[in-house]
Amino acid sequence: MGPIPKPGFALFANMSLRTKIVSIFILLITLPFAIQSYVAYHDFSSVVKRKTADYTLRIADQINKHLDTTFTEMQRLSLMPLYDQEVVAVLKKHGEARPDSLPSVRNMEKMSSYIHGILFNRPELKSIQIMTNDGYAFTNMDPSLVKLPDRFREESWYRKTAAADGAGVLIARHTPSYMPDGGGEDVVSFARLLREPYTNRALGIIKMDLKLSLFDRILSNWDVEEYGTIVVVNGDNEPFFEKRIDPGVPLPPLPDFGAEAASRRLDIGSDRYYAFADRSSATGLRVISVVPVDTILKESKRMRAFITGIGLFCLAAACGLAMFFSYRLSKPLIELRRKMFRVQLGNFRESLPAESKDEIGQLNASFNRMVEEINRLVNEVYVIGLREKEAELAALLSRINPHFIYNTLESINMMAVRRGNEDVSDMVTALGTLLRHSIDKYDRMIPLDRELESIRSYVRIQQMRYGDRLRVVYDIDDRLGNVAVPKLLLQPLVENAIYHGIGDGSGTIWIAVARFERELLLIVRDDGCGMDEAAIERLKRSMSRPPTFESGEGGGMALANIYQRIRLLYGDGADLDIDGSPGAGASFTITLPIGEGEERDDGDV
């Protein structure tokens, strides 16, 4: 019983040929197209993501560069009062005056003129306050509208500026407390503690408020509406500026981007975002662009819809073409199947047109020849039946003849025993044993013991002929008696040693069987006339050719027969080796591969 096919393979195997062709066509068209579409879509999406990241990071970098330029200018402007001796004198005077003292009209005009000079042609600046140590503040705004606090030193921006000890400080987006109630406008500021250049004495604080329109002006050159939300924060994530497409959508929590430009993915509920950040090394400000993934993949989705539409159209066209071609391809095969079914019913006069030169045409031509041959063979079936009867009779006679010979030899043996001719009885018995061993099936494997038994019978017959001139020495490992060997393997070698080695003289033949690791060695050696190297080479060359009876070389034919048999049975692991020298005899060694466990385990055999 063969293996049970898997359900999927069984279903495919039970399909009609036409269905198989249609299925294969659709699969061969759909699978590559689906893989190509999938790869193209994901590659396009990756390109879009990469270009979006590059564009948004470029926007962030340009914003940072503009901010660096602006705040570098603020750095310069905040230091300018220290290089105006009149301004320094006014600040020093208010540092020495009582806290409740007011500046003179001249000093107020001087400071107002100085501040308005800084503001000239700088639309990004909303106001400038120079605050003295005694709590008074000079500003460009109308004093009647300004609400200066009495304790501005307690505000966070003031403490941060004082702690910077003369370094410029960027102040995040805030509403100044000195603006009138209800009239405040958010600003970002730059402040610095002013110190006298030579004495390093603290003179006051200058604070410059910048309009948020500064950021809008910077962003006016970039199409940021397409790319989500733009946020500017400092190192403490304090907001400086924020621009969103949809102000009603809250800004998601921002991750830690580190010191360099980077991108991060944000998942907020079911919404997905990409955040891109660029940090300024000059100001420490970080410009962050938060873009929804749906915005990035908008073009990719359009491309996916387009690819899907094209794919469905191609699939429909492929199904139509597959059905058309499958019908054209399977029609001749279906017709062939119908014809073969009629032949199966006994109609041997069917034929098919073989007009085309392709495989179908060749198959039709072969079918026509097959039907003609079957028709011819049917007419000859009776002749073949008669020949089979003759073959059976010949086989029966071949089984009768050996039994007749065995019975005749047994009669001769009984007659020799009655008359006391023991030599004749032994020879007849040995001959019968040898015949039974030889006539049996030629190519079967037998135990080594039985092969050696036939060799001993053959040797007894030859010793009765040669007498004391022939001596045979056995060196057999009794543990190898059960090893299976090819039948009639050693007899040709012994015969060759007797007739070609010893000849008309006298000598000794050694028969040895041993095991070396995984190999069985069968050795037949004599001390006869031997052979030279040329003769040995001729024998080795003859062994590689199939044996023939026309060569006239009995020894070479027997060796070739043995060599071809063991090579067929055992492959490259078997070999027949020849060795010898003139006057020193010859040695023939058969090497056979042997498996584990083929030896007897009764050591006393």
Side-chain angles (χ1 to χ4, degrees):
M1 182 177 178
I4 300 176
K6 296 181 179 179
F9 291 102
L11 179 63
F12 185 79
N14 294 330
M15 290 180 181
S16 65
L17 180 62
R18 184 172 296 174
T19 304
K20 289 180 181 178
I21 294 175
V22 172
S23 302
I24 291 173
F25 275 178
I26 294 176
L27 182 64
L28 291 178
I29 294 172
T30 304
L31 187 60
F33 184 81
I35 294 175
Q36 182 180 9
S37 300
Y38 178 82
V39 172
Y41 170 73
H42 279 270
D43 184 64
F44 181 78
S45 298
S46 299
V47 171
V48 171
K49 291 177 184 178
R50 187 169 60 251
K51 287 185 175 295
T52 302
D54 293 342
Y55 184 76
T56 52
L57 287 174
R58 191 160 63 249
I59 292 176
D61 179 66
Q62 291 299 318
I63 293 173
N64 261 329
K65 287 181 178 178
H66 281 79
L67 293 177
D68 289 348
T69 301
T70 300
F71 287 112
T72 300
E73 177 68 8
M74 295 300 104
Q75 289 267 14
R76 186 184 67 82
L77 293 178
S78 66
L79 293 173
M80 286 181 61
L82 299 176
Y83 298 97
D84 189 312
Q85 295 299 323
E86 293 183 4
V87 172
V88 172
V90 172
L91 296 177
K92 288 173 65 176
K93 181 177 180 181
H94 277 270
E96 299 170 353
R98 296 190 308 274
D100 56 350
S101 63
L102 294 175
S104 63
V105 175
R106 182 176 178 278
N107 288 344
M108 291 180 65
E109 291 176 352
K110 167 60 185 174
M111 296 300 292
S112 176
S113 175
Y114 180 82
I115 292 174
H116 282 87
I118 296 176
L119 290 171
F120 178 73
N121 202 25
R122 290 187 175 88
E124 69 273 12
L125 283 173
K126 178 178 179 61
S127 65
I128 298 177
Q129 288 79 36
I130 300 179
M131 302 176 185
T132 63
N133 291 337
D134 61 358
Y136 189 82
F138 296 97
T139 178
N140 61 298
M141 294 184 294
D142 187 351
S144 63
L145 298 177
V146 176
K147 180 184 177 183
L148 290 176
D150 296 333
R151 304 177 63 184
F152 58 81
R153 290 184 179 85
E154 297 180 2
E155 295 189 10
S156 60
W157 65 264
Y158 186 91
R159 293 195 299 270
K160 185 183 296 185
T161 305
D165 198 23
V169 176
L170 288 174
I171 303 171
R173 179 174 179 174
H174 64 288
T175 301
S177 58
Y178 42 80
M179 298 298 293
D181 294 338
E185 180 182 349
D186 286 352
V187 295
V188 295
S189 303
F190 183 89
R192 180 193 296 276
L193 177 65
L194 298 175
R195 289 185 177 275
E196 188 176 4
Y198 301 105
T199 63
N200 204 28
R201 175 185 174 187
L203 301 177
I205 288 179
I206 182 172
K207 181 174 181 286
M208 295 179 286
D209 298 329
L210 290 90
K211 303 174 184 177
L212 295 184
S213 59
L214 163 69
F215 297 94
D216 292 326
R217 181 170 54 84
I218 294 174
L219 295 175
S220 62
N221 297 324
W222 300 91
D223 188 12
V224 296
E225 286 79 9
E226 224 180 299
Y227 292 95
T229 299
I230 297 291
V231 179
V232 182
V233 297
N234 60 12
D236 297 327
N237 277 343
E238 295 177 330
F240 276 67
F241 176 77
E242 179 181 323
K243 185 178 183 65
R244 282 183 273 176
I245 297 178
D246 186 358
V249 177
L251 183 68
L254 300 177
D256 182 13
F257 288 91
E260 303 297 331
S263 62
R264 297 285 188 273
R265 178 170 169 172
L266 306 177
D267 292 324
I268 304 172
S270 60
D271 298 326
R272 295 180 301 162
Y273 301 85
Y274 276 103
F276 307 94
D278 181 82
R279 181 180 180 276
S280 170
S281 58
T283 63
L285 295 180
R286 183 180 290 112
V287 179
I288 303 173
S289 176
V290 181
V291 186
V293 172
D294 291 338
T295 301
I296 298 176
L297 299 181
K298 182 170 57 178
E299 294 294 331
S300 300
K301 290 179 179 179
R302 282 201 290 264
M303 181 179 180
R304 181 176 62 187
F306 176 76
I307 292 176
T308 303
I310 292 294
L312 293 176
F313 173 78
C314 292
L315 182 60
C319 291
L321 292 175
M323 296 179 65
F324 173 76
F325 284 110
S326 66
Y327 177 81
R328 295 294 301 271
L329 290 173
S330 61
K331 182 180 178 180
L333 296 176
I334 294 174
E335 181 65 18
L336 176 61
R337 183 187 64 178
R338 187 177 65 83
K339 294 285 187 180
M340 291 183 70
F341 180 73
R342 297 185 64 180
V343 170
Q344 184 180 352
L345 295 177
N347 187 356
F348 301 114
R349 297 185 181 277
E350 296 292 333
S351 63
L352 288 168
E355 300 173 353
S356 63
K357 301 297 182 182
D358 59 5
E359 288 78 1
I360 300 296
Q362 296 174 12
L363 187 60
N364 290 345
S366 299
F367 172 80
N368 295 336
R369 288 193 298 271
M370 180 191 70
V371 173
E372 292 175 0
E373 186 67 14
I374 291 175
N375 194 28
R376 183 184 64 81
L377 292 175
V378 168
N379 295 327
E380 297 177 359
V381 67
Y382 295 106
V383 177
I384 295 175
L386 292 175
R387 290 179 180 176
E388 288 179 351
K389 295 297 182 182
E390 293 175 358
E392 290 177 1
L393 180 61
L396 182 60
L397 292 174
S398 68
R399 295 184 62 185
I400 294 175
N401 289 336
H403 287 289
F404 175 74
I405 294 173
Y406 299 152
N407 293 335
T408 302
L409 289 176
E410 186 63 25
S411 299
I412 296 172
N413 180 43
M414 295 302 296
M415 186 179 294
V417 169
R418 285 197 298 269
R419 296 184 179 183
N421 294 328
E422 295 181 0
D423 292 343
V424 175
S425 175
D426 291 343
M427 182 175 287
V428 170
T429 301
L431 179 59
T433 302
L434 189 60
L435 283 175
R436 283 186 176 89
H437 186 72
S438 302
I439 293 175
D440 200 0
K441 189 176 180 181
Y442 178 70
D443 58 349
R444 70 186 181 94
M445 306 289 287
I446 62 172
L448 179 61
D449 284 345
R450 288 188 57 189
E451 178 68 10
L452 293 175
E453 181 183 354
S454 70
I455 292 299
R456 290 186 175 94
S457 298
Y458 176 75
V459 168
R460 282 201 301 272
I461 295 173
Q462 295 297 333
Q463 284 178 333
M464 289 179 185
R465 173 186 175 187
Y466 283 89
D468 295 336
R469 290 187 299 130
L470 176 61
R471 296 178 299 280
V472 179
V473 178
Y474 296 94
D475 183 10
I476 309 298
D477 187 347
D478 292 338
R479 294 174 299 176
L480 301 173
N482 287 335
V483 177
V485 296
K487 187 178 177 183
L488 295 177
L489 193 63
L490 293 175
Q491 189 271 335
L493 298 180
V494 176
E495 181 181 355
N496 186 71
I498 293 174
Y499 288 102
H500 297 283
I502 297 176
D504 295 331
S506 62
T508 303
I509 297 176
W510 289 269
I511 301 174
V513 179
R515 175 174 180 169
F516 181 74
E517 294 182 353
R518 302 296 294 275
E519 295 179 338
L520 181 69
L521 304 180
L522 300 95
I523 305 169
V524 176
R525 180 170 61 89
D526 65 78
D527 58 356
C529 60
M531 294 179 289
D532 56 16
E533 292 293 334
I536 293 175
E537 288 299 323
R538 283 196 301 273
L539 283 177
K540 289 183 177 179
R541 285 195 299 271
S542 68
M543 288 193 306
S544 61
R545 298 191 298 269
T548 59
F549 292 92
E550 291 78 9
S551 62
E553 300 177 359
M557 182 182 68
L559 294 177
N561 186 298
I562 294 173
Y563 181 74
Q564 296 292 338
R565 288 174 61 201
I566 63 176
R567 296 289 282 193
L568 287 173
L569 290 172
Y570 295 97
D572 295 338
D575 196 13
L576 173 58
D577 186 58
I578 306 172
D579 192 15
S581 59
S587 175
F588 300 86
T589 303
I590 297 175
T591 303
L592 302 178
I594 182 174
E596 294 290 342
E598 295 192 31
E599 296 182 357
R600 287 178 178 161
D601 55 6
D602 50 348
D604 57 348
V605 175

